[in-house]
Amino acid sequence: MRMLGILLDNAIEASEACSMAFINIAFITDNIKQEHRLIIENSTNQEFINIGHIFQDGVTSKGANRGIGLSNMQHILSNYEQAHIETEYSNYRFRQTLITQG
């Protein structure tokens, strides 16, 4: 639940500044692979996002004294071998997919 809150908070804040704001949420279960995917995709007004650094503590595009959510999420994920996150960015569209297996 904490990770879901972090992802949703980030998606809401990023899309608020967009004239054509959107947030898409999907939950997909693959019984054959025994895999669950939570996908949160949102609009952003940023032309470029360096997704290689967004999980570092203090990295944010939203101002000072922020940027701990994704760092906290990475710490939580480090406790679960069967879970990981995939992050994509393209054409003002930011997507994070939380994948769990088992």
Side-chain angles (χ1 to χ4, degrees), residues 82-98:
Q82 72 280 15
H84 70 279
I85 191 157
E86 294 177 356
T87 303
E88 302 170 65
Y89 173 78
S90 177
N91 298 322
Y92 299 92
R93 184 177 294 251
F94 188 76
R95 176 187 295 176
Q96 293 198 285
T97 304
L98 180 61

Side-chain angles (χ1 to χ4, degrees), residues 6 11-12 33 35 37 50 52 56-58 62 64 68-69 73 78-79 90 97 99 101:
I6 291 167
I12 291 166
K33 291 183 180 179
E35 181 179 273
R37 290 176 174 258
N50 185 346
Q56 295 175 358
D57 193 31
K62 298 177 184 110
I68 60 169
M73 193 168 92
S78 71
N79 294 312
S90 177
T97 304
I99 303 166
Q101 296 176 327

Side-chain angles (χ1 to χ4, degrees), residues 25-40 95 97-101:
I25 302 170
F27 184 76
I28 301 167
T29 298
D30 185 331
N31 291 325
I32 295 170
K33 291 183 180 179
Q34 295 186 347
E35 181 179 273
H36 305 283
R37 290 176 174 258
L38 172 65
I39 303 167
I40 299 178
R95 176 187 295 176
T97 304
L98 180 61
I99 303 166
T100 61
Q101 296 176 327

Side-chain angles (χ1 to χ4, degrees), residues 50 52-63 66-71:
N50 185 346
H53 298 288
I54 62 172
F55 290 95
Q56 295 175 358
D57 193 31
V59 173
T60 183
S61 62
K62 298 177 184 110
R66 315 261 324 248
I68 60 169
L70 291 177
S71 173

